[in-house]
Structure formats: C-alpha cells, structure tokens
Amino acid sequence: MLIPVSWLKRYVEITILDSALAEKLTMAGIEIGGITRIGENWARDKVVVGHVLKVEPHPNADRLTIATVDLSNNESIKVVCGGPNIREGQKVAFAHEGAILYNTHTNKTQPLIAAKIRGINSPGMVCSEIELGLGKDHSEILVLPEDAPTGTPLFDYMGDSVLDAEVTPNRPDCLSILGIAREVAALTGRSVHEPDLEYVETEDPINHQISIDIANSDMCKRYSASVIKGVKITESPDWLQKELRLAGQRTINNVVDITNYVMLEYGQPLHAFDYDRINDNKIVVRPAKTGEKLSCLDGELRKLNPQMLTISDSKNPLALAGIMGGTDSEVSDKTRSVVIESANFDPINTRRTAKALGINTEASYRFERNIRPDLVPKALKRATSLILEMAGGKACKGIVDVYPNKGKATSLIIPHGKFKKVLGANISKKNISNTLLALGFDVSLDGQKFKIRPPYWRVDIKIAEDIVEEVARIIGYDEIPTKMLSSPIPYSESSYSYDLRETIRDIMIAGGMHETISYSATSKDNLRKVAMLDNGPNPVRITNPMTRELEVMRTTLRGSILKTLESNIKVSQNKSIRLFEIGKIYIQDNALVNDKLPEEKEVLIGVLAGPRHQLSWAVKEKYMNFFDAKGVVEQVFTELGLAMECMPYKDPIMHPGKTAQILCDGNNIGVLGEIHSDVLNQFDIKEIVVSMFEINLESLYKIKKGIYKHYSPISHFPESTRDFALVFETNVLAADIQQVINRHNLVKSSTPVDIYSSESLSVGKKSIAFRVVFQSTKSTLTKALIDKAQSSILKQLQAKFGIELRN
Amino acid sequence: MDKNINLETIDEVRAEALRELQDISSLSKLDEWRVSYLGRNGSLTNILRKLGSVPLENRRQIGATANQAKLLLEEKLDHHRNLLANAKTSSESEDDVLDVTLPGWPLSNGNLHPSTKMLREITKAFSSMGFQVQEGPEIEWDRYNFDLLNIPSDHPARDMWDTLWLDYTDKHGNTPMLLRTHTSPMQARIMENAKPPIRVLVPGKCYRYEATDSTHEWQFFQVEGLAIGEGITFAELKGTLYEFVRCIFGDERKIRFRCDFFPFVEPGVDMSISNFVDPETGKRPIDYNQDWIEILGAGMVHPNVLKNVGYDPDVYSGFAFGMGVERIAMLKYGIDDIRLFYSNDLRFLEQF
C-alpha cells in the first residue's frame, strides 16, 4: 500500500520527518519497506513554477522553439525548448542552471549546465517528467495546473514522500490512508480529522429509483447504494489525479477515480454502475447461474459458476461481487446517471472466486481480509459527496442500505492484571486507557477491570491478548523489560538421533570428508541415472514444482552426491575430492490409503575421487579407491564402538567385483564400493575411479541404541609379534582367515601387512602376510607358548581353508 | 691353529670396542661401530667364524668367551642406541639438516557445511538456556502446518507461506500433504505429545514455493523454539532472544524488536539485527541499502493454538520463535548469495 504523505496530512497533523514517521509505523507493526521522495533533488532556488509567456520558432532548428518563461519578480528568461507540446500560457517546471536533474544524454543525475543550442543561449530548461525524476516520459514537457503559482519552488508546490507500507493480513483497516492516519495519530499523540460526509440531496427518494435484493446474505452481509443523476463524466481534477498516481492507481474518469480514491481513503471498495444500463432498476446479489458469462473490465470474458457471487440486474450479471465490474454497466463518457455500490462481501467466497478465476484486485484483496460492514455507509456517503462536487448531478434522497444480520457490538472485559501476566511489565491503568483511547477504542474502567470495545474499523481484535498487543506496540516493545526464563528447566530427553548424527558428522570431517547439503527434491532423470526410477520405490511427486529439476522427492542420495561431485570435478581438475552428506530420503507406502505420511529415512553417503593427497613433495601421487572409502567407514564404526564387516555384493550402479555390503550386528546396513563407469559417464565424470559408501542411519541408530563403550583392562605383560605369510586359494577371504586367527585366546590382534603376488605362486593362489600380536593378561608369553599357539592356528587354517605358510 | 685367536685377542677386541663406544654420539657412527665389530666382516665376527680352527682343548673356553663378548657388545649396542635416541644431542643437526621451509605432510582436512556450523552454534546458544533438541517430519499435513497454528484454509494469512503441495488425495478428496513451510508444525506435535512445562528447540529443513535469487532459496533450514509453562511472559521471550543474539553475534550488533503478525502468536514480534558491515571495506554485502535485517519471527503462543492441542490458556502461557539459519549465517559471515549454500561448490564450503 502506497501512502503519499501529503494525502496522509489531510487527516492528521505530522510534524516529524518522514524517516521518523516510517520508523514509528514500522516498530508498531506497519512495516514501511521504503520511502520514495518526489523532488528530493529539487533545490528551492533552482527549480520553480514558470509561466510560458511566449513561444517562438528556433531560427536554426525546426523541432526546437524559444520559450520566454516568466518566473515572477519581474524576471523572465528565454530558453530553448524541445518539447512539442509547449504553448503560451502554460504553467511549467522551470530549472535554472545548476539544478540537479536527470540528464537523458548521460543517463546520470547531475547539475544542469547553461548551453548554446544551435546558436541560441539557453540558461535553463523547461522540464519533462524524466528530468524531474517523476516518470519515464521525455517526449513532452510537464504541464502544471493553471493555478500553479508562478515563481513558487516546485518542491513546495508538488514535492512529496510516498511510504510503501507492508500491511499484514490481520490489518485490512490499514489498507487505507485513514487507517494509517489513525495509527500515526495514536503514535504521535494527535487526533484524526475524518472527512465530511454531508451533501445536498433532492426530494426524489432513492427507493423509487432502484431496488436491491440480497439473495444470499451469507455471502453479502451488507449492501448499500446511492443514485446520482445528471453527472458529467470528465477527467478528474489534477489534485485527484496526482494523489491517485502517487498511490499507484491509474486514472480513468472522475466517477471511477472517486470510487478508487474513497477505497484508498477508507479501505472500502466501491463500484460505480451506469444507472441506465441496469435492467428494470433492479440489483440482485445472487450466485451465478451455470453457464452465465461476464465480460469483465479487464477485457476478459469469464465463465461463471454457482459458487461465484454476482451483482446482477433483473436479467444478467453486471459484476463479480467484490472482485471486478463488467463492461456492460461500465461508467463511460455517455453515462448520465450512476449507481454507487458500497457493500460487504464474504471473505472466503471472495477469495475462492478470485483464486478460481486467477484475479487479484484491490477490491478482492480487501474483502478477503474481512473488512468491517460498518465502513459501508461512510464510504458511500463520502463518494457520493465527492461525485456531486466533481461530476455535478443530483443525489437522490437517502441511500439504500440492506443489512440483514446486523451483529451486536461486543465488549471485552479484561482485568488489569492480564497485561502484566502476558507482558511481564507493569503498565499503569491510565497508560493503558490512554493508549487504547488514542487508537479509537471505547474504554471504561470498573475497579481493576477494563471494559473495552474496539473501534468500528478494526477486525483483528477478538481476545484479551489482542488488546495487550495493541497497548504494547503503541507504548513500544522497547519499553518492555528483558528477563531471563526463571522457571526450572524441564527435563526432556535430548534427541538421540540428533546427537548421534552430529557425532557421525565429526567422524566424517576427521576423516577428511567435506560436508555437502543438497536439495531434497530432484528430477526423475536424476533418479533414473542411479537406477532408482524403475527399480526403486515410487517417489513422492510435488504437485506444483518450480522446475522439472525439482519434481519429485528424492528416494536416494546417490543422485544428489554424484551431481555434486560432477560439478566440483568441472571446476577443479585433478583435485582430491571427498564429499559426504547426511540427508533424508522419502519413501511412500505403495498404498497411500492409510493416511500416513511417507517415511523419512536418514542416510549417510560419501564419495571419494582423485588423488589421495593434495599435491605434495612428500608423497607420490596415488589415486583413491575402494579402500579409501572403506577406511572412512571403518572409522565410523570404530568410533561408535560397533563391529562391522564387509562381504562381496552386487549393486546395479557399482563395479561388479569391487563392491561390498556393510554388515553390522548381522544386518545389512549399507553399501561400499567403486561406482560403475557407465553410471559415472551419465554424470559426465570421466576416467576417474569414484568410490562411494552409503549407510542407512536409521538402522545404525537402532543398533547403536544401548551400546556403550566399555573399558577393558590393560595387560601388564609384554606383547610378542609374529608374521604369518600365508598362501591360499584366491576365493578365500581375508576376513575369514583373520576370524580364525583372532579366535585364539592368546591373539590380541592381527593385521594384514602385505599382499604378495608373484609368478612363483601357483595359479589361483594368493598370499597375504598377517602380523599377529600375542599377549596374555595373565603372564609373559614364552616362546614355547607362542609356538604352540601358532601351530594350532596354522593347523586350523590348513584344515578349514587349505592354507599353507609361504616359506 | 690360528695363533691370533686366543683369550687375549678376544679381550683386546672387546675392550677396544667398549672404549670406542663411549665416544660415539651419533647413530651413523654407532652403525659404523657395529659393522666394524659385529658386522659380516667385523673383528669379533671373524673370531667367531674361525673358532673351528682352534684346537679342541681350547675351543670350548675360547668359544664361550667369544660368545659372551658378542652378547655383551650386542647388549651395549642396544643400550647405546637407546641412549642416543633419547638424548637430544646437538651433534645430530650437524650431519642431518632439513629444509624446514618445505610444506608438511598433506593431511586432508574435512569440514562441516556452513548451515551445520550455524545450526550447531544456534543449538548451543539455546541449550545453555535449557532448550532440548527435538526433530520432526519435513513432509507434513496441512493440519499441522496451518490449521492447528490458527491459519485456517481460505485465509489470506496462508499467502504468507507459498506452499509446495504433494501428490496425495485423501478419502474426502482433499490434498492435505505438503512440504512443511516452517518448523512451526512441530509446536503442535510436541504439545500434543507432552505436558507442560516444555522448552524445546526444533532444527530442520523447510521448503517454500519460491523462485531462487541471491536472497531467496526454496529450501532452507529453520530453528523453532518453544517454551510453555505457567507464568511465562513476553519479557522472558525478549530476554531469551536478546541473549541468543549476544551468543551468536557478540555485543556489538544492535537488535530491533518490533510488532509483527503471525497467526499463531499474540503479541507477535519481528526481530532484526543491524546489517553486516565488512570490517575491511566498510560496505554491506547483503541488502546494502538496509539498516536492519530480519532474522526471526516470534511471539507469545496464541491461546487458540494452546486450545487446539488441549492446553488450558488460562493456566499455561509461553512463547515461540522461528529463525532462518542461512540468513543468520549470511549476516555472520558476510555471504552475499544464499544460493551458494546448496550448490555445494567446494570453493565455498572449504571456507568454513
């Protein structure tokens, strides 16, 4: 809502700066998003109202003229003028040399320089809109009203400030200049002067001229109208046009402009009908009939349905109630008499109809916000009186005012203690009363209890807390003390998954991984690339996606992280990249009939690609593979105190021989491996090994629950180390061998330390050396004891897997 | 018989070796010593190798002596090696010099996403005031996202949250499933499942139907706070939030606490802080013409919301607040484009 300050000043005295005014309104809940200053640069001695005395042709240029401009004080100046519309007798905006203007040649705002134009001196200029910063037009000079006083500084004559108010949905009363004026009055200790609603009527009773019938009083609480005969449709006077323009409204003709003006003034939308176009002088407020159509004022022919409320005559719809008028009954040059409608329409129905038709008008915007029916007759009388003043004609006696279910004004009873209870601040009864009175409330005090009735324009005051806010916001939130919560801290268990997730994040970054967070929605194409579209669960679809890239909720993080990897590889060639994300996937039940929300499952995913180390003299460049990813995964389980194992596995997007499933506590909780190059190619990732791990965190959380790390006593006896170089069939897994070794009660640990492959091994064999640490908690181990343990282990390995010692 | 080998020669070799050992002060010299006595051609090794040529009657005694000498030297060698390793002798630097200007071993440093970092800071600030973390679903029913929060359907207040709807139709032909537009639905969920007093913090992802630009993202993190109990007042809301700003931004940033409207609170608050000014350039990279940047909406929980979850508003009161995490991170770090957060460019992520 644009609020010209000059217009605001019609109702309330303002003596503070625009910026201070904006600040006060903002703090009190009417946020002023910006202030546009009209004529900010017009120095009072440089830009003035001029009177064109004479216009002569330029001797050297057909398109230019030489204008003699009177600036009063017996001063007149001759300047060269390019505006084709300059005429003798006009009042114009004249700028002296040095005036700060927008220069259309340099496209900058800069001082005007006196110049010789085609041989004629021009020590100033007659301005167009663009030079003054008023608009974009520079084809014509700006012509001022005839009564503009010659010689007056232009700023005094038409300088202004326009506040851009962002009015919250609860305050439709502030979608009006008067509403804002009431706020200003309360905030600055002034009072509001309401417009005069009196006008002269004829003896002709309005009931003889028009009949009004509300067919559905649920949808129209109140409908009133006046009739004015013999109007003359012309342009509006300049002041009216100017104020409408500043408030962001187009100007049309005097009657329509007045209805808009009063709408902006009171916040009550009005509509003017051409009286002679109403069949049988009958207005019926009724739902549309199936198949009815209306040619609307925006030029669209709209099909109506019975959910939509119309203003109709005895035959046809004339207007969409509360939204837009129709062209048939539009006020035009030929109009002789008008019916002015001021009515109150149901907010929900107005909103539904406007949404269904895709229209949002100043009128529907206000009705949706549930304005008060009490505004109806006031705005009607105001508009009628302005029409009589500016368009002439005669008003019929009285107004029609159909108001079937007039509500009773209700009062709120609020004990003084309530203010303290909500705000935690002591506010005196007097302060409360005065604040509410300034806002237009009726206030009476009975002992410790206030009886409060909100003013007729307010719709948002329903409960005691609303009143408390009124007082607090006008006094100022800054005046309320600041206290810390004093009640004891309630006990509630901290979110287990949150804590564990943060631990896992820390493990990840300790492992050199960078955290990424990507969009929860993705494209079907992205899911298809990682084989989740046809093989995976049906993704949850977004009904109104912003783009095709974000059409479904993701069912995997694989597509997200590969996309992230792709974009990072593009910008940093041959860089070591380690990425992880902890995020949700969204899985809907196949049968979505049970009114259950889709499952949201948390997943940890990581990818590693490129050189193992950043470029360095200290290490030879080597590329990451399966085991780099596995190292990070192992770190997670070690830190959490959980055991994990990996077993060979097949996955549609992974390398068939370099992929494992991650098992923990017997459950398959993730996948680890190198990604298939066909999949990488789809992401435009070429000639690089990408290793990935993916862990289902929900399962991990479940397994981890109740498992805590335990202290095991440290042995005071020395360790002994032996290396076992073992030769075995290639299909035997290292983990199985280690399991046998570690089972022996004297073995503390075993670690594969070397993988040996050589032609000296026979075909189908491989060799791994394990370093085995022996230790007892009871005694120092003798050579004999270790030898015995070693041979026992080797015997078992031999029996189970046919494993031999390499000599 | 080799007459060189007798008990005296062994004693000589041993004594000489021990004498020499005393002067050895570097590991390289120690190794030379080892080679000259115990190495393949070392003098003691040679004696032992030639034991076979010693006459039988002497062999036993000479052999035992030589072996004892070997064991002794080996023991002394180990001992001396340990001494050298432990001693910080200045002589090492003379023959062993590093170019200390070379960069160190390249460790890989991981780091957290700036949103995670900011979330942790926010959580820490509030947990010190007794708020516990709870989390909730990102896919929600409109009942929780709107209705229970005093935002009925067909009310223009719903326009304050541009909503992404999900493809689901219930038995009644309604389409009530959506991506939560704020973390506030958890207010209702928490209150439905717990009795007062309540003091919780809800971090989480939210979504809006919004075209992205440098200050708007369709996906973002919010942190919701809720404190319910007997006698909780607006003054305590103010105190809690002022303390929060101090925790995150320090004492210098100014706070603006103004009236605003959210249907689920009354009175309602908008909290802004003074804009970020780059200490080096003196410029504001974000919304350069704005003195104040809104970071948070708050207020006293609306009695209708309390009633909706079965609390008696005459007994219980409380406050709620919700803040945009990226916005706060932008103001803290001077990030000028919100789209950087979820484009996951390592050149951005590595800076935090």
Side-chain angles (χ1 to χ4, degrees):
Chain A
M1 170 95 196
L2 296 174
I3 318 285
V5 173
S6 58
W7 191 349
L8 197 55
K9 284 178 175 168
R10 289 177 184 273
Y11 317 108
V12 62
E13 196 183 349
I14 296 171
T15 52
I16 54 176
L17 291 174
D18 302 334
S19 51
L21 181 65
E23 165 84 5
K24 275 185 185 291
L25 284 167
T26 299
M27 293 302 284
I30 311 293
E31 186 174 11
I32 304 301
I35 306 177
T36 309
R37 293 194 168 85
I38 314 286
E40 206 174 1
N41 293 326
W42 305 341
R44 300 177 80 249
D45 60 334
K46 299 282 188 215
V47 187
V48 296
V49 176
H51 181 204
V52 182
L53 296 177
K54 207 168 170 193
V55 179
E56 298 163 282
H58 190 293
N60 306 323
D62 291 346
R63 291 203 192 151
L64 299 177
T65 52
I66 297 165
T68 307
V69 184
D70 173 25
L71 302 170
S72 91
N73 296 329
N74 300 324
E75 188 192 359
S76 66
I77 286 184
K78 275 194 181 186
V79 291
V80 177
C81 179
N85 59 330
I86 191 161
R87 300 286 180 273
E88 285 174 14
Q90 281 171 339
K91 294 288 176 62
V92 295
F94 182 85
H96 288 285
E97 179 183 356
I100 308 293
L101 298 178
Y102 183 80
N103 184 325
T104 54
H105 299 290
T106 62
N107 292 327
K108 281 179 188 154
T109 303
Q110 54 191 197
L112 178 66
I113 299 165
K116 213 174 220 184
I117 301 169
R118 297 280 182 108
I120 304 284
N121 275 327
S122 189
M125 83 185 291
V126 176
C127 302
S128 67
E129 279 188 0
I130 194 166
E131 282 128 8
L132 294 167
L134 292 175
K136 295 258 183 313
D137 187 15
H138 69 133
S139 63
E140 295 192 331
I141 58 154
L142 176 70
V143 180
L144 302 175
E146 283 167 28
D147 59 357
T150 305
T152 308
L154 191 68
F155 184 78
D156 294 354
Y157 181 65
M158 60 181 290
D160 207 344
S161 293
V162 181
L163 309 180
D164 187 357
E166 289 161 22
V167 177
T168 52
N170 59 327
R171 292 299 303 274
D173 60 301
C174 283
L175 294 169
S176 72
I177 312 281
L178 257 174
I180 301 286
R182 290 180 181 119
E183 291 284 303
V184 172
L187 289 165
T188 58
R190 308 274 168 177
S191 51
V192 171
H193 331 295
E194 297 215 13
D196 184 10
L197 304 180
E198 298 298 312
Y199 55 86
V200 179
E201 302 168 339
T202 64
E203 289 304 313
D204 181 14
I206 192 163
N207 297 341
H208 293 178
Q209 300 303 325
I210 191 114
S211 82
I212 289 173
D213 181 23
I214 301 177
N216 186 342
S217 62
D218 288 345
M219 291 192 191
C220 176
K221 278 197 212 117
R222 189 171 194 175
Y223 195 102
S224 73
S226 65
V227 174
I228 305 148
K229 294 198 157 182
V231 292
K232 191 164 176 257
I233 306 300
T234 59
E235 273 195 351
S236 297
D238 290 320
W239 70 266
L240 182 62
Q241 291 200 27
K242 181 196 137 194
E243 289 196 346
L244 284 175
R245 258 203 311 270
L246 288 177
Q249 285 282 323
R250 282 191 309 140
T251 55
I252 294 160
N253 59 46
N254 50 3
V255 168
V256 174
D257 289 353
I258 287 165
T259 59
N260 284 332
Y261 182 82
V262 175
M263 173 187 71
L264 294 177
E265 191 177 42
Y266 276 89
Q268 166 67 49
L270 302 173
H271 187 67
F273 296 97
D274 185 330
Y275 177 76
D276 298 315
R277 310 281 298 183
I278 299 173
N279 287 307
D280 300 327
N281 299 340
K282 196 174 159 68
I283 285 179
V284 187
V285 184
R286 62 156 171 90
K289 293 170 191 160
T290 309
E292 274 186 326
K293 285 178 186 165
L294 178 69
S295 165
C296 295
L297 282 175
D298 61 358
E300 297 268 326
L301 180 68
R302 290 196 167 82
K303 255 174 98 172
L304 310 181
N305 68 43
Q307 269 80 54
M308 299 169 178
L309 191 67
T310 68
I311 311 301
S312 300
D313 60 14
S314 59
K315 294 177 182 150
N316 304 314
L318 303 171
L320 266 170
I323 299 173
M324 195 180 276
T327 50
D328 282 352
S329 55
E330 179 182 7
V331 172
S332 70
D333 298 350
K334 295 175 193 110
T335 301
R336 303 280 310 278
S337 302
V338 292
V339 178
I340 307 299
E341 163 201 291
S342 180
N344 187 285
F345 299 108
D346 178 60
I348 292 176
N349 185 253
T350 306
R351 182 173 163 89
R352 285 185 180 164
T353 303
K355 282 217 157 178
L357 294 173
I359 330 177
N360 182 15
T361 61
E362 294 275 351
S364 68
Y365 193 79
R366 284 170 176 78
F367 286 123
E368 281 178 15
R369 279 158 178 73
N370 193 21
I371 54 175
R372 288 282 294 259
D374 310 67
L375 293 168
V376 162
K378 290 180 193 291
L380 179 67
K381 286 175 184 166
R382 171 67 168 157
T384 307
S385 106
L386 286 173
I387 289 168
L388 292 173
E389 191 185 310
M390 285 180 243
K394 296 207 152 87
C396 294
K397 188 178 169 64
I399 58 168
V400 187
D401 189 4
V402 187
Y403 193 4
N405 305 309
K406 189 174 174 176
K408 255 207 242 152
T410 52
S411 295
L412 292 159
I413 308 289
I414 303 170
H416 181 221
K418 179 76 182 177
F419 291 85
K420 170 120 199 227
K421 198 177 166 198
V422 176
L423 297 174
N426 289 310
I427 303 172
S428 71
K429 284 183 274 193
K430 196 172 165 209
N431 201 351
I432 292 167
S433 290
N434 288 346
T435 305
L436 291 171
L437 288 170
L439 282 165
F441 287 75
D442 275 349
V443 186
S444 60
L445 189 59
D446 177 11
Q448 293 299 314
K449 283 184 177 165
F450 290 99
K451 187 176 177 195
I452 298 167
R453 204 168 68 214
Y456 71 83
W457 56 86
R458 293 293 293 268
V459 287
D460 57 320
I461 308 296
K462 293 179 188 116
I463 57 172
E465 280 74 6
D466 296 327
I467 302 277
V468 173
E469 182 184 77
E470 288 304 296
V471 172
R473 74 186 182 90
I474 298 297
I475 290 174
Y477 283 1
D478 286 345
E479 298 303 313
I480 292 166
T482 298
K483 291 181 195 155
M484 291 310 290
L485 278 167
S486 51
S487 46
I489 295 174
Y491 176 78
S492 70
E493 208 176 325
S494 144
S495 164
Y496 168 75
S497 52
Y498 176 84
D499 293 345
L500 197 50
R501 183 190 318 127
E502 295 310 311
T503 305
I504 292 171
R505 280 201 169 104
D506 286 335
I507 300 169
M508 284 290 125
I509 61 167
M513 307 291 289
H514 291 279
E515 190 185 16
T516 67
I517 298 176
S518 45
Y519 287 154
S520 305
T522 188
S523 64
K524 285 187 184 167
D525 187 51
N526 181 272
L527 293 180
R528 187 188 49 71
K529 284 179 181 174
V530 292
M532 278 297 277
L533 190 58
D534 302 321
N535 312 335
N538 242 349
V540 181
R541 210 173 61 81
I542 298 175
T543 324
N544 55 335
M546 286 158 300
T547 70
R548 288 288 302 279
E549 290 297 299
L550 304 166
E551 58 190 330
V552 291
M553 298 306 284
R554 62 183 174 186
T555 52
T556 173
L557 298 192
R558 293 176 174 192
S560 306
I561 202 140
L562 286 175
K563 205 175 148 203
T564 303
L565 179 67
E566 175 189 16
S567 64
N568 276 294
I569 285 176
K570 269 189 193 136
V571 294
S572 49
Q573 292 296 322
N574 203 33
K575 204 180 154 189
S576 171
I577 300 181
R578 294 173 170 88
L579 306 172
F580 81 97
E581 175 166 6
I582 294 178
K584 282 177 167 180
I585 57 172
Y586 309 84
I587 311 293
Q588 62 182 340
D589 239 69
N590 279 334
L592 249 182
V593 287
N594 48 0
D595 284 343
K596 257 172 52 186
L597 290 171
E599 266 192 279
E600 299 179 18
K601 295 181 173 173
E602 207 159 43
V603 174
L604 163 68
I605 196 160
V607 287
L608 300 92
R612 183 162 299 131
H613 299 286
Q614 306 300 353
L615 192 62
S616 170
W617 62 274
V619 275
K620 251 189 155 168
E621 190 169 83
K622 277 190 180 155
Y623 286 83
M624 290 190 278
N625 59 31
F626 176 93
F627 291 104
D628 292 86
K630 189 171 179 189
V632 177
V633 172
E634 284 168 340
Q635 201 59 29
V636 173
F637 286 88
T638 308
E639 282 291 319
L640 297 181
L642 297 174
M644 65 158 274
E645 54 182 340
C646 283
M647 285 297 149
Y649 190 62
K650 297 273 184 274
D651 183 290
I653 72 156
M654 309 296 280
H655 187 297
K658 298 181 176 176
T659 301
Q661 63 176 328
I662 303 169
L663 297 159
C664 181
D665 200 26
N667 300 292
N668 176 10
I669 67 164
V671 174
L672 162 69
E674 292 179 11
I675 297 173
H676 201 289
S677 59
D678 290 351
V679 176
L680 295 179
N681 284 339
Q682 298 203 58
F683 283 92
D684 209 14
I685 300 170
K686 303 252 159 68
E687 291 161 14
I688 188 168
V689 172
V690 177
S691 308
M692 182 196 89
F693 58 84
E694 182 187 53
I695 296 172
N696 174 350
L697 289 185
E698 309 291 327
S699 308
L700 188 67
Y701 296 158
K702 251 179 240 156
I703 296 167
K704 169 72 184 164
K705 192 139 201 167
I707 295 183
Y708 302 99
K709 287 193 175 176
H710 287 286
Y711 162 74
S712 35
I714 298 160
S715 170
H716 298 294
F717 300 101
E719 305 178 340
S720 294
T721 302
R722 298 252 171 117
D723 283 359
F724 295 4
L726 304 176
V727 178
F728 47 90
E729 303 282 332
T730 47
N731 62 1
V732 177
L733 298 173
D736 294 336
I737 297 173
Q738 258 182 293
Q739 200 191 13
V740 172
I741 298 173
N742 293 351
R743 208 161 49 197
H744 195 283
N745 61 2
L746 291 183
V747 171
K748 190 185 157 214
S749 67
S750 66
T751 315
V753 289
D754 189 27
I755 296 187
Y756 179 77
S757 59
S758 159
E759 287 173 10
S760 63
L761 292 172
S762 42
V763 180
K765 297 265 185 182
K766 66 178 173 180
S767 170
I768 298 180
F770 293 88
R771 179 154 302 167
V772 184
V773 178
F774 294 91
Q775 191 182 35
S776 159
T777 54
K778 298 188 188 82
S779 63
T780 303
L781 292 178
T782 59
K783 181 171 176 299
L785 272 172
I786 297 171
D787 286 345
K788 200 177 150 202
Q790 176 170 345
S791 72
S792 152
I793 291 166
L794 289 172
K795 212 175 275 167
Q796 286 181 57
L797 289 173
Q798 158 67 259
K800 205 160 180 187
F801 305 114
I803 291 175
E804 303 283 352
L805 266 184
R806 196 171 83 221
N807 53 335
Chain B
M1 152 182 177
D2 188 340
K3 48 182 184 229
N4 284 338
I5 299 179
N6 53 41
L7 290 174
E8 285 77 34
T9 43
I10 295 168
D11 279 347
E12 267 170 37
V13 168
R14 190 185 63 188
E16 193 190 333
L18 291 176
R19 207 170 38 245
E20 271 181 32
L21 188 64
Q22 281 177 355
D23 296 332
I24 288 174
S25 61
S26 81
L27 286 170
S28 55
K29 288 273 180 340
L30 184 66
D31 205 49
E32 283 171 26
W33 177 89
R34 181 189 62 80
V35 171
S36 70
Y37 293 100
L38 299 166
R40 189 183 295 245
N41 278 312
S43 36
L44 195 60
T45 315
N46 280 335
I47 290 171
L48 287 164
R49 193 177 293 134
K50 289 172 188 162
L51 272 181
S53 58
V54 174
L56 258 178
E57 65 268 28
N58 296 335
R59 197 182 293 167
R60 193 184 160 96
Q61 198 191 355
I62 289 175
T65 309
N67 269 320
Q68 273 167 10
K70 183 177 180 241
L71 283 174
L72 179 74
L73 291 190
E74 277 173 353
E75 192 187 307
K76 291 285 177 189
L77 173 70
D78 273 353
H79 182 67
H80 206 83
R81 187 181 281 134
N82 285 337
L83 276 183
L84 285 179
N86 292 333
K88 295 201 167 83
T89 52
S90 58
S91 64
E92 277 197 1
S93 64
E94 289 163 21
D95 57 353
D96 200 4
V97 180
L98 291 180
D99 179 351
V100 296
T101 65
L102 282 169
W105 183 269
L107 296 175
S108 23
N109 297 311
N111 61 7
L112 292 173
H113 190 280
S115 295
T116 303
K117 280 204 158 166
M118 204 65 241
L119 273 166
R120 285 189 176 186
E121 278 190 60
I122 294 168
T123 311
K124 190 176 152 203
F126 283 108
S127 65
S128 72
M129 293 184 261
F131 287 80
Q132 294 269 18
V133 169
Q134 286 203 26
E135 295 176 304
E138 294 169 17
I139 294 179
E140 262 295 4
W141 301 118
D142 59 355
R143 175 178 149 78
Y144 286 97
N145 199 72
F146 293 124
D147 300 54
L148 290 175
L149 295 172
N150 203 28
I151 316 166
S153 50
D154 294 311
H155 194 280
R158 281 211 178 180
D159 296 345
M160 294 166 77
W161 296 271
D162 291 314
T163 308
L164 285 159
W165 295 92
L166 298 176
D167 182 19
Y168 167 75
T169 307
D170 69 11
K171 305 191 258 287
H172 314 290
N174 297 324
T175 54
M177 197 189 278
L178 49 79
L179 289 175
R180 67 174 173 192
T181 59
H182 47 187
T183 38
S184 308
M186 275 302 284
Q187 286 186 28
R189 285 190 179 273
I190 288 165
M191 287 192 279
E192 275 184 345
N193 290 310
K195 288 203 173 81
I198 286 172
R199 213 182 284 185
V200 294
L201 203 63
V202 186
K205 264 184 182 176
C206 303
Y207 309 87
R208 302 232 177 123
Y209 184 92
E210 188 138 42
T212 54
D213 63 26
S214 65
T215 53
H216 296 93
E217 242 309 349
W218 78 278
Q219 168 185 294
F220 53 93
F221 279 92
Q222 264 198 354
V223 175
E224 188 85 7
L226 180 71
I228 303 283
E230 288 180 50
I232 292 179
T233 67
F234 190 87
E236 286 161 314
L237 164 65
K238 216 176 145 183
T240 304
L241 294 180
Y242 273 53
E243 181 57 25
F244 157 70
V245 171
R246 225 164 54 109
C247 285
I248 301 291
F249 293 99
D251 256 342
E252 290 82 41
R253 298 290 266 277
K254 284 185 286 180
I255 301 171
R256 187 177 78 175
F257 217 65
R258 56 171 285 265
C259 178
D260 202 354
F261 168 72
F262 304 99
F264 38 100
V265 289
E266 189 75 22
V269 176
D270 160 270
M271 188 165 87
S272 304
I273 65 163
S274 53
N275 201 345
F276 175 87
V277 180
D278 190 310
E280 278 165 29
T281 61
K283 286 185 180 156
R284 298 165 173 171
I286 313 140
D287 289 347
Y288 59 90
N289 56 351
Q290 297 288 319
D291 294 333
W292 297 101
I293 305 285
E294 300 176 12
I295 57 165
L296 176 158
M300 301 304 292
V301 177
H302 199 288
N304 290 356
V305 175
L306 295 175
K307 274 186 232 162
N308 287 342
V309 297
Y311 284 11
D312 182 351
D314 289 333
V315 178
Y316 298 110
S317 63
F319 59 75
F321 54 84
M323 66 188 84
V325 173
E326 295 81 3
R327 195 116 188 96
I328 294 173
M330 289 170 83
L331 281 171
K332 182 161 171 127
Y333 300 117
I335 300 165
D336 61 359
D337 192 336
I338 197 171
R339 287 168 294 193
L340 287 166
F341 282 84
Y342 306 116
S343 59
N344 290 317
D345 188 328
L346 276 173
R347 294 169 299 179
F348 171 73
L349 297 177
E350 279 172 348
Q351 294 182 30
F352 299 94

